[in-house]
Amino acid sequence: MVETYKASEIEKTQLKGKDFLQLSDFSTDEILYMLDVAQELKGLQKQGKPQPHLSGKVLGMIFEKSSTRTRVSFEVGMLQLGGHAIFLSSKDIQLGRGESISDTAKVLSRYVDGIMIRTFSHDSVEELASHATVPVINGLTDLQHPTQVLADLLTILEHKGKLAGLKLCYIGDGNNNMAHSLMEGAVKVGMDISIASPAGYLPNGKITEKAIQAGKLTGSQIAVTNDPIEAIKDADVIVTDVWTSMGQEEETALRLEAFRGFQVNENLCKHAKDDFIFLHCLPAHRGEEVTAEVIDGSHSVVFDEAENRLHAQKAILKLLLT
């Protein structure tokens, strides 16, 4: 039986019109409610029932970083909800020619009902949101990836039947968007999280401290270590990400050396629980951060996870734009 969260009072909170920039902005109840709505929308889609919640609504999608899952899931999600999405690359709009973020935000707010942006600087997303009069959704920055982690939580909930009390282990670059958003999301829903990274690649200190304080409210524990075996011990969920993200290509050789010993492979996974599940936001580099035996093995749920980007984001869109 999958745990669901039914709370009529959450529906009355001001999710409508709110920005979705990082999971730390939301309460535990709000995140659980988003997951409940995602499950509901997924069920309706599987039954072939229409979901015209965003009929007549338009989402502007700004992409300064390329994408497969983010673009397709948001575009399909808007279509399935009865709305429309407009793809805007940095080459297609005046941002690419020096127009200010504030002017772009003010202009787009006159045209569309919401803005999704996938970019490098988290400060740019914050600035966009501060000047926009419509909801702004963070599709990814170098600092945060909240839409992916909401999909991850949905996937864990489906496969484990609960969230609170589970242990999630992240192995790899701790100073990246996935590690940061996983910390924020895990503690909000009562999960423990351990992060194993080499020296020099530990998570952002401010985000870590904020997550530790949030975890005190839910009883969640955060552990950061340089020892992958220590981190993965008795884990219910194992997560990794590429060692070299977009924009870091010049560091590839340095990173391959630094992360030697942090590969998720069958030997390392023997220290996790027997029924662990493996997650990866994709794209993956088989043979680097994870072996093919793990990502293509029986414990892997990476394609369920990828599908759930669609359902989690539809919940965000429905709750923020209606």
Side-chain angles (χ1 to χ4, degrees):
M1 174 66 72
V2 173
E3 177 186 275
T4 58
Y5 190 81
K6 302 288 185 182
S8 59
E9 291 303 311
I10 301 302
E11 217 164 352
K12 297 175 185 177
T13 63
Q14 296 304 305
L15 286 174
K16 178 183 177 181
K18 190 169 182 176
D19 298 319
F20 190 88
L21 306 187
Q22 52 261 327
L23 291 174
S24 60
D25 292 338
F26 297 90
S27 69
T28 295
D29 285 348
E30 287 172 332
I31 291 175
L32 292 174
Y33 185 63
M34 290 179 198
L35 294 173
D36 189 48
V37 172
Q39 289 177 307
E40 180 184 4
L41 292 173
K42 184 174 183 177
L44 289 172
Q45 181 188 318
K46 298 301 183 184
Q47 296 169 38
K49 295 183 178 180
Q51 309 162 52
H53 303 289
L54 298 183
S55 178
K57 301 285 187 180
V58 178
L59 178 72
M61 306 190 305
I62 300 173
F63 283 87
E64 293 189 312
K65 277 192 173 186
S66 59
S67 170
T68 298
R69 280 149 291 277
T70 299
R71 178 179 178 180
V72 176
S73 57
F74 269 107
E75 200 159 331
V76 171
M78 282 298 294
L79 179 64
Q80 291 181 352
L81 291 172
H84 184 70
I86 301 174
F87 174 77
L88 304 167
S89 78
S90 57
K91 297 177 182 178
D92 297 327
I93 59 177
Q94 298 300 326
L95 266 179
R97 298 179 60 204
E99 183 172 35
S100 69
I101 293 173
S102 61
D103 284 357
T104 299
K106 292 170 185 176
V107 170
L108 288 180
S109 295
R110 302 292 184 105
Y111 298 144
V112 301
D113 301 283
I115 302 168
M116 189 283 297
I117 180 169
R118 181 179 170 96
T119 187
F120 294 90
S121 170
H122 194 77
D123 289 342
S124 296
V125 177
E126 297 275 4
E127 184 179 357
L128 185 74
S130 71
H131 292 282
T133 56
V134 297
V136 172
I137 300 169
N138 175 8
L140 174 143
T141 66
D142 288 343
L143 194 68
Q144 299 275 1
H145 200 354
T147 55
Q148 176 66 58
V149 170
L150 192 68
D152 290 357
L153 294 177
L154 177 60
T155 307
I156 297 166
L157 183 58
E158 288 178 341
H159 284 271
K160 292 296 184 181
K162 65 176 185 177
L163 294 170
L166 296 178
K167 178 181 176 179
L168 183 149
C169 172
Y170 172 88
I171 296 177
D173 185 359
N175 191 27
N176 88 339
N177 46 31
M178 281 302 298
H180 295 150
S181 289
L182 281 167
M183 272 199 297
E184 292 188 348
V187 299
K188 287 286 185 176
V189 298
M191 297 176 68
D192 293 334
I193 178 168
S194 58
I195 296 177
S197 303
Y201 297 92
L202 300 180
N204 178 283
K206 291 182 179 180
I207 292 176
T208 303
E209 182 56 35
K210 191 173 182 179
I212 289 172
Q213 296 305 315
K216 292 179 179 179
L217 300 176
T218 58
S220 296
Q221 300 291 320
I222 296 176
V224 179
T225 178
N226 302 130
D227 186 347
I229 294 177
E230 176 186 342
I232 206 171
K233 182 175 173 55
D234 296 327
D236 298 284
V237 183
I238 301 171
V239 188
T240 192
D241 193 7
V242 294
W243 292 341
T244 304
S245 298
M246 280 183 283
Q248 300 172 336
E249 287 79 8
E250 293 182 359
E251 303 174 24
T252 298
L254 179 67
R255 286 172 170 269
L256 286 174
E257 180 62 29
F259 288 99
R260 192 187 303 271
F262 288 81
Q263 182 187 73
V264 178
N265 52 45
E266 289 182 312
N267 285 334
L268 184 61
C269 290
K270 289 177 181 177
H271 298 278
K273 289 185 178 176
D274 291 339
D275 62 347
F276 78 88
I277 58 173
F278 173 77
L279 302 179
H280 191 306
C281 61
L282 302 178
H285 296 161
R286 289 166 173 80
E288 288 186 16
E289 73 275 7
V290 62
T291 61
E293 289 78 13
V294 172
I295 195 171
D296 299 321
S298 60
H299 293 274
S300 177
V301 295
V302 296
F303 296 110
D304 291 344
E305 176 189 10
E307 178 190 343
N308 280 337
R309 285 293 301 277
L310 171 65
H311 309 299
Q313 287 160 190
K314 283 168 67 176
I316 295 168
L317 292 166
K318 177 179 183 293
L319 291 171
L320 269 56
L321 302 187
T322 59

